[in-house]
Amino acid sequence: MAKRQKYRELISQSFDFPQRDFKEEKGTLQWNDLPLMEIAEKYGTPLRITYLPKIGQQIQKARRLFNAAIANNDYRGDYHYCYCTKSSHFSFVVEEALKNKVHIETSSAFDFELIKRLEEKKKIKKENFIVCNGFKPQKYIDKILEAYNNGYKNIIPVLDNMDELEKYGTPSGTLNIGIRIAAEEEPKYEFYTSRLGVRYNDIVPFYQQKIQNNPNFKLKMLHFFIDTGIKDVNYYWTEFHKALDVYCDLKKICPELSAINLGGGMPIKHSLTFDFDYEYMINEIVTQLKNTCNAEGVDEPDIFTEFGSYTVGESGCVIFSVLGVKNQNDRETWYMLDGSLMNNLPDIWGLSQRFIMLPINKWDDEYKHVNLGGITCDVGDYYNSDAHINQVYLPKIKPGEKLYIGFFNTGAYQDTLSGYGGIKHCLLPSPPHILVDEKKKNEFTYRVFAEEQSADSMMKILGY
Ligand SMILES: Cc1ncc(COP(=O)(O)O)c(C=O)c1O
């Protein structure tokens, strides 16, 4: 009879394993060296974990690679790392990012409440760049002006559209501004041009008519962001060069223009096969910026980025355990989770996002093909395809055994999109959330950021 394979063997045959952040010891998984099995048993499941040191590591890595590329290319501009708060607004995330000397990117009026509180705690400095994106209602504009008047002189509202300029009225000094370019979308979208930003051809005439001789504003930044992310593909480079051409055209008539903002979209690890070459990509960006500017005879701009997922995505994971096994027919086995995928990781449901999904224990057991079912009654609450094979394999479970399952690198957008702590599908509570700090004296320290959401908190929102 053929030898039955263990889960561990499946993984070692499918991937280079162990690998960055993931390894296995005594049949259990470690992520960033965290003993996940111990944590799951101590705090119960479902459980959210944020491994805070990862945030600083990511920021430092990007900064190191940009600075190296700047030095290698003899590039005469600086690099500024902004953190895009919408990817995770939690205080522990933003504070960790600020410890690593980032600037801030905002997307709405409430971001300024966050900045006010960070200021009270002396976590943010008035010298910080605050790049303000988005289509802005007057309340957002008012908050931008208020921050400017309170001393945030490096605030840069990025005009999403030409009408926005007038909403700032007459600021109390010369306000630095940016303009966002509306990129052409990838052909997979139903529309050609992004709704965000100003069309390429309108930018230079708009500058000449409304900004050039206007003492209230200085055009400092051109903003360019491709929603599908920074990738070494034709589409990205085509849009990138279109943006650079606009930059050079503008720079020739607007000497105070000094920055290009590449937005977000730096990819993160969503599969164990992920092998994005950050160093190559960053160097290529800097080289192409340099070459184009030199060819056009304009000074190289300072480079801003607003990485959200990249900053915080790889710091988060969610752990579930299998509550029960259902064999619905000869071929389909469902592992029923003790929480909802839809509620906790809404990108799975909304975008068919694949995350790294791995068992936490039982790596020495045989495996089988399964579907994972969330605990809501919704037919869409499931996960049945890993990024590399479009199927899910997990260790077999014998009666009475416990299997823990982790979804990794889930730290960006999932809490905000799922309305963390609000009301949830089937009234399932937000799970407890544990924060992990840097290992000291060979020990991790854990902090409970939030216990499981209480019924009272949900009932209050619902008006009971
Ligand atoms: C203007 C802007 N900047 C930055 C980001 C962050 O993108 P990411 O999380 O892919 O880095 C976004 C995301 O939507 C954005 O709209």
Side-chain angles (χ1 to χ4, degrees), residues 84 86-87 105 133 180 223 225 263-266 306-310 413:
C84 154
K86 65 181 150 270
S87 54
E105 187 249 357
N133 282 309
R180 178 165 177 168
H223 188 292
F225 174 37
M266 189 58 101
E306 302 163 343
F307 297 149
S309 296
Y310 171 83
Y413 300 106

Side-chain angles (χ1 to χ4, degrees), residues 89 112 120 128 177 200 222 281 285 318 367 441 464:
H89 300 99
F112 288 88
E120 281 161 13
N128 275 68
I177 54 170
Y200 287 101
L222 196 65
M281 195 66 196
I285 287 173
V318 181
Y367 60 85
K441 295 193 184 132
Y464 289 94

Side-chain angles (χ1 to χ4, degrees), residues 429-448:
S430 288
H433 193 151
I434 306 298
L435 307 181
V436 189
D437 294 305
E438 198 137 24
K439 209 173 192 176
K440 289 213 178 95
K441 295 193 184 132
N442 231 12
E443 293 259 338
F444 285 111
T445 42
Y446 304 108
R447 285 182 281 151
V448 179

